[in-house]
Every structure is written in C-alpha cells, then in structure tokens.
Amino acid sequence: MASGHRRAPFGFTVVELLAVIVVIAVLAAVLLDRMIWYQERAEKIAMESVVSVLRAALQLQAAGRLIRGEGPELRVLADENPMTWLANLPDNYLGPLDREAIAVVPKGHWYFDLDDRSLVYRLRNHRYFEVPAGVRPEVRFRTVIDYGAAGQGAVAVLSAMDVRPVRPYRWFADDE
C-alpha cells in the first residue's frame, strides 16, 4: 500500500513551541501585574477601613466625655493613642514604639510613634503609592481636635474633630 503522501509529524515544531511559551509568558506577566494591583488596592482599603473605625471611635470617645461634662478636655484626645479606643485591635498593630523599635517595624503593620504621637501604617505594597525618593513608604495619622475662636464672652465651639493623615497621600494615580 504505497501512498504518495507523507504523514505530518505529530507535535510542535520549535518555532511553534517558542510561540506558545511567549504567549504564556505574556499572559502570566499580565496576570501577575493585575494580582499585584488588586493586592495593593486591598491593602489600601484595609488601611482606610481601620482609619474609619478610628474616626467612629473618636466620636464615641468625645460623646462620652461630653456626657460626663468633660467638653473642654477633648483636646487631650489629640495626644492619645487612637488604638486604645478600640475594643479589638487590628492583628497587625504592634503597639506604641520608640525610635529604636520603629527602625525594624515589618511592612504591613500599624504602630503608635511615641516621639511624635502619630499613628503610623507601614505599607507592605507600595508600587502605586507616591512617595518621595528616600522616604519610608508609610502613612502617618494624627487626631485633630480644634475649637473655633470664641467671640467676647462666648464659649469656644468645636470646629474640627478627625483622624487625618499628617501629609496628604496619593495611592493609585486614579485617586482624587
């Protein structure tokens, strides 16, 4: 049974194999980039969620002190560690730290800086976080309690009460 046709070999040629490998590598790179983006976005949301809980805790602290007649003493809240207002601390909170301990804080953790009385989150992922060169990728927060200027004989009115970043930050270019 002689036939004039040769059967095509099974399998890939080297060129076809290289093309498949290149396509898989490109897809893997795109997938990895998206995974990093989503991980970092999740970290940002988690950090901002903790800050939102701290803002609510600040409101409760202030309300409790006002009820007890301690309104003028609300300013002391600005120097307190806001994490002490929470019933349950975040798992990644290390506590109040001095300058020596701050030097070795692992990424992705909160701590209270005893020197400048700020709450700090050290970023785990910061590919999309705008940070000046040579500056540690972290966000510092302070409790702000301000009273407006009182007129003659008037009582000062609370004008600001918040947990705010010490410096504005931008994490992801599309954030406004």
Side-chain angles (χ1 to χ4, degrees):
M1 191 165 164
S3 170
H5 298 291
R6 281 185 56 178
R7 292 175 49 190
F10 294 110
F12 292 107
T13 65
V14 173
V15 173
E16 291 171 329
L17 182 60
L18 288 175
V20 169
I21 290 172
V22 167
V23 168
I24 290 172
V26 168
L27 290 174
V30 169
L31 176 64
L32 182 61
D33 182 62
R34 282 289 91 190
M35 284 178 48
I36 291 169
W37 187 90
Y38 281 116
Q39 282 180 326
E40 195 160 336
R41 186 63 85 163
E43 180 179 11
K44 177 184 184 274
I45 291 167
M47 180 197 76
E48 291 176 348
S49 175
V50 169
V51 174
S52 293
V53 169
L54 290 171
R55 287 181 176 129
L58 172 62
Q59 298 292 323
L60 291 172
Q61 285 291 316
R65 292 175 192 216
L66 288 171
I67 288 170
R68 293 189 301 273
E70 302 170 5
E73 288 83 33
L74 287 182
R75 282 191 175 101
V76 300
L77 290 170
D79 287 326
E80 290 183 12
N81 177 354
M83 289 292 191
T84 62
W85 306 330
L86 302 179
N88 298 312
L89 297 173
D91 292 337
N92 60 344
Y93 175 63
L94 300 175
L97 302 177
D98 60 17
R99 187 174 311 275
E100 225 173 87
I102 288 171
V104 295
V105 169
K107 295 176 180 179
H109 284 78
W110 290 93
Y111 65 91
F112 185 72
D113 187 333
L114 290 170
D115 293 329
D116 74 358
R117 312 297 296 167
S118 63
L119 184 64
V120 184
Y121 180 72
R122 179 151 188 239
L123 280 61
R124 176 183 312 275
N125 303 301
H126 50 87
R127 182 175 178 186
Y128 298 97
F129 185 79
E130 293 181 11
V131 60
V135 175
R136 191 171 173 168
E138 61 187 19
V139 182
R140 291 181 171 270
F141 296 91
R142 293 241 345 140
T143 303
V144 176
I145 307 288
D146 283 328
Y147 287 89
Q152 288 187 359
V155 176
V157 177
L158 188 63
S159 62
M161 182 171 58
D162 197 5
V163 177
R164 295 182 184 157
V166 172
R167 275 180 310 222
Y169 64 90
R170 188 164 163 172
W171 201 346
F172 295 94
D174 58 348
D175 289 348
E176 298 291 328

